[in-house]
Amino acid sequence: MNQRAADRDHLAYWRRNLRYLGGLLAIWALVSFGAGILFAGALDTVRIPGTGFPLGFWFAQQGAIYVFVVLIFVYVFLMNRLDREFDVDERDEEGAA
């Protein structure tokens, strides 16, 4: 592969990586700031069954953290797929994962 093609691949890889990061951070911001603060009043009209806690309170206290942890796993999945697509994954040459 010549240098120009390698540079294009490198730029395409990082562009996609930044797109993933931007999208996942936007989801986290929407959940943590939106559901936990902006829409908390509207969400508080709904109670979590079995607990009596208002839904807005739950998002502000724990929901955003759970969403953040799930987004970490989603990012790992997306980056592993991207690494395989651009042939930069961390598997060794003998085929072991």
Side-chain angles (χ1 to χ4, degrees):
M1 179 182 301
N2 65 25
Q3 186 62 33
R4 283 187 183 196
D7 288 343
R8 278 195 305 271
D9 284 349
H10 181 77
L11 287 174
Y13 176 88
W14 282 107
R15 234 181 247 125
R16 180 108 46 97
N17 181 18
L18 291 176
R19 198 171 349 145
Y20 289 159
L21 282 173
L24 294 173
L25 286 174
I27 292 169
W28 186 45
L30 181 67
V31 169
S32 63
F33 188 70
I37 297 171
L38 293 178
F39 306 118
L43 291 172
D44 280 344
T45 61
V46 177
R47 301 274 177 185
I48 298 175
T51 65
F53 288 117
L55 188 59
F57 173 78
W58 183 83
F59 266 109
Q61 299 303 313
Q62 296 189 18
I65 296 168
Y66 290 150
V67 169
F68 181 68
V69 171
V70 168
L71 290 177
I72 290 171
F73 286 105
V74 169
Y75 180 71
V76 167
F77 171 78
L78 291 172
M79 287 308 297
N80 283 336
R81 190 175 68 182
L82 183 66
D83 286 351
R84 283 191 302 275
E85 181 181 332
F86 282 87
D87 199 27
V88 292
D89 56 338
E90 296 176 354
R91 293 180 291 172
D92 62 359
E93 297 300 321
E94 297 173 10

